[in-house]
Amino acid sequence: MIQRGNNRIYIFEKKEDKAELLDLIRAYQLELGFECLGYVIMGNHYHLIIKRESSASISEIMHRINFRFARYYNLKNKRTGHVFEIAIEVIW
């Protein structure tokens, strides 16, 4: 999965923002039943390699992670609106 900031904005400039995303991924791994095999967090986007181990769809997994991160990010930065663009899903 590739998830980019809306309008290519830099949303991962601070370590605490990256840590928040990783905390959400860890939490949802247990709740939604998937394994994170790898990740890269860049300034304006992130990549995830995940393996589903339950009936949760990739769309549901990404929606939950992105929705919670957007809430955190918008509250922290006193802003509203979309944080991420539509996810790009790559499956081999």
Side-chain angles (χ1 to χ4, degrees):
M1 298 295 300
I2 301 168
Q3 192 66 61
R4 184 170 55 203
N6 197 30
N7 295 317
R8 299 182 181 193
I9 63 169
Y10 280 74
I11 54 177
F12 297 110
E13 293 183 295
K14 297 180 179 169
K15 289 180 184 179
E16 62 262 19
D17 296 336
K18 293 176 184 178
E20 179 68 20
L21 178 65
L22 291 174
D23 288 345
L24 289 171
I25 292 167
R26 284 186 202 103
Y28 282 121
Q29 281 186 103
L30 299 174
E31 185 178 327
L32 298 175
F34 68 93
E35 184 179 356
C36 181
L37 303 174
Y39 67 89
V40 176
I41 303 173
M42 308 298 282
N44 71 342
H45 69 284
Y46 69 91
H47 302 261
L48 288 181
I49 301 172
I50 62 173
K51 178 182 175 186
R52 291 183 313 141
E53 297 173 342
S54 71
S55 61
S57 69
I58 292 174
S59 295
E60 180 182 358
I61 293 167
M62 295 307 296
H63 172 76
R64 299 278 291 275
I65 293 168
N66 291 334
F67 178 80
R68 285 288 303 275
F69 184 85
R71 247 181 37 195
Y72 152 83
Y73 186 83
N74 282 341
L75 283 171
K76 179 183 167 212
N77 294 291
K78 297 179 175 84
R79 60 175 301 251
T80 61
H82 294 281
V83 174
F84 295 106
E85 293 179 353
I86 295 173
I88 302 167
E89 187 174 322
V90 180
I91 300 175
W92 290 305

